[in-house]
Amino acid sequence: MPKLDFGAAVIGAGVVGISVARALAARTPTLLLERLPAPATLTSARNSGIVHAGLYHPPNSLKTRLCLRGAALLQTFCETRDIPFHRVGKLVVAQSQPEAAFLHNLHAHASALAVPTQFLTRGRLLMLEPDICAGEAVLLSPNTAIVDTSALIAALLADVQTHSADIAFGSTVTGIRRADVGSGWILDVSCGDLPSISISADCVVNAAGHDSCRLANLTSLEKFTPHYCKGTYFAYSGPARPKHLIYPCPNKDLAGLGIHLTLDTAGQIRFGPDTEWARHLFGLR
Ligand SMILES: Cc1cc2nc3c(=O)[nH]c(=O)nc-3n(C[C@H](O)[C@H](O)[C@H](O)COP(=O)(O)OP(=O)(O)OC[C@H]3O[C@@H](n4cnc5c(N)ncnc54)[C@H](O)[C@@H]3O)c2cc1C
């Protein structure tokens, strides 16, 4: 009979669920549940792999605190574990006066957060990125980095296993409810054609990505509505060999930071992601 009672259960083995399971497994018997046959195959495998420097979020916000602390912890983790992590830096390019004004505000905002940024002179820009045509100004964020997300996920998952956590692939959480006795939770879990089983845990972490609103709504009085958005990348194989991430000034009417040039740790260049709102999850395929 498999063990069905845990200190903690984490739903979803994306980068968030795996990281949370890694931390919890060091403290309590932990179960990581993933409905797909392998870890981190969805959003966690389809992103830009950028470690943001924390330029944009409001001061004193949780996002700023987590971004700054997370970036520092991530760099140390990658260095300790030999995971490719490169501080390539990011350039934000202003093509008009209003965009230049935006960059000056961004520079002041970053300085207030103690996040380094600097304007490039035309000479320095020519030296660093001769292919950039900047109408007005270019701001450099030297701390923005890229990470090898596959290597990162493999290392985090290895730690989860080292702490003897249980990992159940092909296991979909279909129901969550309070236990009749005590302060814990009961999860209904379906595993393919097998009969559904119930698992108990003192604490449950919902890291189910696209499914997290639906799962939260099973237990929470506050109801959440998901808003799905699809991003597509465009591969580039032309002669230019930029060394930095290159961003436009964000357009207020669009979600995201605008289509930018991304580099990965293997040197591949892509443009993206664009933003395409989708009414349903199946519209994202
Ligand atoms: C186009 C794009 C680019 C991005 N670029 C960056 C970037 O450069 N830098 C950055 O920091 N962030 C970036 N992000 C954001 C980042 O990728 C996400 O924040 C992160 O991957 C979310 O991870 P997650 O573990 O929460 O979700 P996911 O990776 O979606 O993982 C959730 C997991 O839960 C599983 N699951 C769902 N429902 C259930 C269930 N009922 N039972 C069991 N398992 C379930 C799923 O199968 C999945 O494996 C980007 C996002 C997008 C879309």
Side-chain angles (χ1 to χ4, degrees):
M1 183 73 179
K3 177 175 160 52
L4 297 175
D5 183 29
F6 292 86
V10 180
I11 309 170
V15 69
V16 173
I18 295 171
S19 304
V20 170
R22 174 179 178 269
L24 288 173
R27 299 167 173 77
T28 185
T30 297
L31 171 65
L32 176 59
L33 293 147
E34 169 55 52
R35 74 175 164 195
L36 295 173
T41 55
L42 300 182
T43 315
S44 296
R46 300 150 192 242
N47 57 52
S48 304
I50 295 172
V51 183
H52 294 287
L55 294 185
Y56 293 105
H57 307 307
N60 302 322
S61 67
L62 189 58
K63 271 192 174 177
T64 294
R65 273 199 288 138
L66 293 179
C67 190
L68 297 182
R69 178 145 185 267
L73 289 172
L74 187 57
Q75 179 170 1
T76 306
F77 181 72
C78 289
E79 283 167 0
T80 321
R81 303 293 284 269
D82 234 358
I83 297 165
F85 178 105
H86 305 312
R87 271 200 183 186
V88 289
K90 145 176 165 171
L91 300 175
V92 191
V93 180
Q95 300 292 10
S96 64
Q97 285 288 337
E99 288 189 353
F102 169 87
L103 281 196
H104 281 280
N105 285 338
L106 187 61
H107 179 52
H109 177 75
S111 306
L113 298 173
V115 175
T117 52
Q118 54 194 260
F119 281 99
L120 298 186
T121 60
R122 286 204 184 272
R124 180 112 191 274
L125 177 63
L126 195 64
M127 214 172 68
L128 292 179
E129 292 292 359
D131 292 309
I132 290 186
C133 175
E136 286 294 333
V138 178
L139 189 68
L140 167 67
S141 158
N143 283 2
T144 304
I146 51 176
V147 65
D148 180 337
T149 48
S150 319
L152 171 65
I153 282 160
L156 292 169
L157 202 62
D159 284 358
V160 176
Q161 284 159 334
T162 303
H163 290 307
S164 307
D166 288 82
I167 306 178
F169 293 117
S171 303
T172 305
V173 175
T174 54
I176 308 177
R177 60 187 184 283
R178 279 276 182 206
D180 294 336
V181 181
S183 58
W185 298 87
I186 305 293
L187 301 183
D188 298 319
V189 180
S190 125
C191 314
D193 297 336
L194 299 173
S196 180
I197 56 169
S198 293
I199 284 166
S200 63
D202 297 333
C203 119
V204 174
V205 177
N206 175 1
H210 292 148
D211 207 23
S212 51
C213 287
R214 189 185 68 77
L215 289 178
N217 290 345
L218 295 176
T219 60
S220 168
L221 290 179
E222 185 188 353
K223 299 298 174 200
F224 300 92
T225 307
H227 299 280
Y228 299 114
C229 186
K230 175 182 172 181
T232 300
Y233 289 92
F234 306 89
Y236 172 80
S237 56
R241 289 289 113 196
K243 296 180 185 61
H244 298 80
L245 306 163
I246 303 171
Y247 283 66
C249 287
N251 179 335
K252 275 194 197 132
D253 302 330
L254 294 176
L257 298 175
I259 293 184
H260 46 273
L261 181 148
T262 68
L263 306 168
D264 66 20
T265 50
Q268 306 286 332
I269 297 172
R270 293 183 300 169
F271 288 94
D274 64 357
T275 49
E276 193 183 327
W277 292 102
R279 199 175 277 249
H280 303 289
L281 197 48
F282 55 78
L284 295 175
R285 302 270 180 253

